[in-house]
Amino acid sequence: MKEKIVTSGFISVVGRTNAGKSTLLNNLVKSPIALVSKKVNATRKRMDIIIPFENEQYNSQLIFIDTPGLHESKKLLNEYMLQEANKAVGDSDLSVFVAVASTKENEILHYRNFLEQHDKRHIVLLNKIDTLSKQELLECLESYKQYQDQNLGIIPVKAKDIDTYTMHTILSLLVKNLPLHPHFYDNDMISTTIMRDIYKEAIREAVFERFSDEIPYESDVKILKVTEKPRILYIKAQIIVAKDSQKAMIIGRNGETIKSLGSIARKKCEYLAEQKVFLELIVKTIKGWNTNKETLKEIGYDFMD
Ligand SMILES: Nc1nc2c(ncn2[C@@H]2O[C@H](COP(=O)(O)OP(=O)(O)OP(=O)(O)O)[C@@H](O)[C@H]2O)c(=O)[nH]1
Ligand SMILES: [Mg+2]
């Protein structure tokens, strides 16, 4: 039997906010570990997802890095998010650029910006093709044709509901472009992101689901304690908000809102932990938490100075 070629490497997944990057990665790994939301700017910090892959020729390990969507806001937290995304592209062997398939000119601008800013070998995924008619999809593919010499391939996808064939096509294209390198991690691992950070994202996801308007953007979550108790995992987490009025909104009348939020978040944590969870949520106001470097660092956003 012919020996397989072993390649492994890091692949940054980039694209504008709401393009479907986290959805794609959750579906590749078949576990909802990355935060997905209808709202923009959901992912704040990079998270990695490890996928082993074998075909007739290759035996590879792909380490995908989910990144915050590329955007142009000047807020400090958003600056951090942009820094994370750009650093992930710089550190990776390849990129996957996720674009929203569209016939609108402004969508392709995101891709043009990426090409201008990064000199990185990459593939392009045109996502959300379920929202286009056949004719629109053809037009969209046509508009990306002019860039075909600058990437390794352009693949139309439906990240929300990706089929095995498309997944195989994407992974096959990536593994043959990765460096020759033994696997970096044990193939049983699905992420090097620590469980604490995964629970944090699960609770943030619940906040994104439960609240509209400013709360998802004006809040964050800090995990204070994770303790294994007999037959139950105890998680104590703090929801940080910028104003007392937001704290009152999260708690709700007689604590009813936080109770329902806690129940949504607990179920997400239980699914990820594969065991029963007792989740204790507390809310704390820290004025200007998202405009202060020190507080941001304390919550886990390690700025490069
Ligand atoms: N119609 C449709 N919607 C999709 C598809 N893939 C993802 N979505 C939706 O797009 C929204 C954004 O998805 P996310 O995965 O959170 O997007 P993201 O690129 O990670 O966004 P940020 O973290 O903010 O950068 C969610 O509501 C998804 O359900 C798809 O193939 N079709
Ligand atoms: Mg995301």
Side-chain angles (χ1 to χ4, degrees):
M1 207 173 65
K2 222 174 120 215
E3 286 251 343
K4 292 193 181 181
I5 305 168
V6 179
T7 63
S8 292
F10 293 80
I11 302 157
S12 50
V13 180
V14 290
R16 75 144 160 96
T17 176
N18 216 249
K21 302 176 291 297
S22 302
T23 306
L24 173 82
L25 290 186
N26 283 343
N27 286 339
L28 282 179
V29 77
K30 299 188 181 70
S31 176
I33 67 174
L35 189 167
V36 168
S37 171
K38 282 194 206 112
K39 303 189 177 81
V40 297
N41 294 338
T43 304
R44 289 185 179 160
K45 208 176 160 169
R46 60 162 103 179
M47 175 179 270
D48 67 60
I49 283 168
I50 304 167
I51 315 263
F53 179 79
E54 247 188 288
N55 61 13
E56 308 72 41
Q57 252 191 310
Y58 290 91
N59 172 3
S60 303
Q61 188 178 60
L62 306 93
I63 302 129
F64 287 96
I65 305 159
D66 188 13
T67 68
L70 304 168
H71 57 80
E72 285 175 2
S73 164
K74 292 271 178 293
K75 278 192 194 156
L76 195 58
L77 176 60
N78 291 35
E79 253 178 56
Y80 167 85
M81 286 156 60
L82 200 56
Q83 204 178 69
E84 276 280 278
N86 286 332
K87 191 165 176 298
V89 176
D91 292 347
S92 56
D93 299 295
L94 294 173
S95 287
V96 171
F97 186 88
V98 183
V100 175
S102 164
T103 51
K104 292 192 194 114
E105 179 65 17
N106 63 343
E107 273 304 333
I108 210 164
L109 277 181
H110 295 285
Y111 182 50
R112 215 172 288 155
N113 285 342
F114 170 78
L115 288 176
E116 277 166 18
Q117 283 174 21
H118 300 280
D119 180 22
K120 179 66 64 180
R121 294 164 73 233
H122 65 278
I123 66 165
V124 179
L125 300 185
L126 295 175
N127 189 27
K128 309 198 186 184
I129 53 169
D130 53 303
T131 62
L132 296 186
S133 67
K134 266 206 180 115
Q135 184 55 35
E136 286 169 330
L137 178 58
L138 287 175
E139 263 179 55
C140 172
L141 283 167
E142 192 57 39
S143 64
Y144 277 83
K145 241 188 177 165
Q146 58 185 308
Y147 301 108
Q148 67 186 10
D149 297 339
Q150 297 183 59
N151 56 56
L152 303 164
I154 301 177
I155 305 173
V157 297
K158 192 163 77 177
K160 205 160 77 165
D161 180 20
I162 196 161
D163 60 274
T164 319
Y165 177 79
T166 311
M167 201 171 329
H168 203 271
T169 310
I170 297 170
L171 297 177
S172 304
L173 184 56
L174 291 170
V175 298
K176 67 178 184 200
N177 284 292
L178 281 178
L180 292 172
H181 196 284
H183 295 191
F184 285 89
Y185 303 103
D186 194 301
N187 273 333
D188 290 344
M189 278 177 77
I190 63 167
S191 177
T192 65
T193 306
I194 55 172
M195 282 316 280
R196 263 180 118 88
D197 280 348
I198 292 177
Y199 299 137
K200 167 187 165 115
E201 291 299 278
I203 301 166
R204 283 189 51 231
E205 186 171 72
V207 173
F208 266 74
E209 273 172 33
R210 184 66 187 72
F211 295 95
S212 49
D213 306 328
E214 92 262 23
I215 298 261
Y217 300 104
E218 294 275 299
S219 67
D220 213 296
V221 172
K222 188 174 166 187
I223 302 289
L224 300 178
K225 208 189 242 176
V226 179
T227 322
E228 286 277 357
K229 300 217 164 145
R231 289 191 297 279
I232 201 159
L233 184 72
Y234 170 79
I235 304 174
K236 182 172 182 181
Q238 192 177 54
I239 301 177
I240 295 162
V241 289
K243 296 181 200 151
D244 285 333
S245 57
Q246 294 162 343
K247 179 174 171 176
M249 268 170 83
I250 292 187
I251 294 172
R253 195 184 300 171
N254 300 324
E256 271 172 25
T257 315
I258 196 164
K259 208 166 141 200
S260 80
L261 172 70
S263 153
I264 301 170
R266 176 182 49 79
K267 284 185 193 130
K268 289 181 190 287
C269 292
E270 282 181 339
Y271 189 83
L272 292 161
E274 296 178 340
Q275 72 174 109
K276 271 207 147 321
V277 167
F278 180 87
L279 176 65
E280 184 183 349
L281 285 180
I282 51 175
V283 193
K284 185 175 175 184
T285 309
I286 304 180
K287 293 203 170 76
W289 70 266
N290 51 2
T291 50
N292 179 322
K293 237 181 211 182
E294 290 314 309
T295 349
L296 283 172
K297 275 189 183 170
E298 213 180 287
I299 304 173
Y301 302 110
D302 308 312
F303 267 92
M304 284 184 294
D305 289 311

